[in-house]
Amino acid sequence: MWSEWCARCHAADGSGKVTEPTITVEPMDFTDCKLTTPEPDADWELAIAQGGPAVGLSSQMPAF
């Protein structure tokens, strides 16, 4: 799933740095542990299942 869908915006390495951006907002950098580690797993699951707006993130983050 990551390689097929998420990496399009978040990059294969999770940095959010892609050569051809597919969205207009800056994607979250999952390599920044200070940003991503404090979030509970339930929030990540909600963001993936219901999209960014479900957790206060961009509407450009679709649900999967």
Side-chain angles (χ1 to χ4, degrees):
M1 183 174 181
W2 176 268
S3 297
E4 193 64 32
W5 298 105
C6 308
R8 293 178 183 185
C9 298
H10 294 284
D13 65 357
S15 68
K17 294 174 177 56
V18 294
T19 54
E20 294 182 34
T22 58
I23 56 176
T24 59
V25 295
E26 185 174 341
M28 186 174 288
D29 178 355
F30 292 116
T31 64
D32 182 353
C33 293
K34 289 182 275 183
L35 178 67
T36 58
T37 302
E39 293 294 327
D41 287 346
D43 286 357
W44 294 118
E45 292 170 11
L46 188 61
I48 294 166
Q50 296 186 18
V55 292
L57 297 174
S58 172
S59 61
Q60 292 184 44
M61 164 66 189
F64 294 100

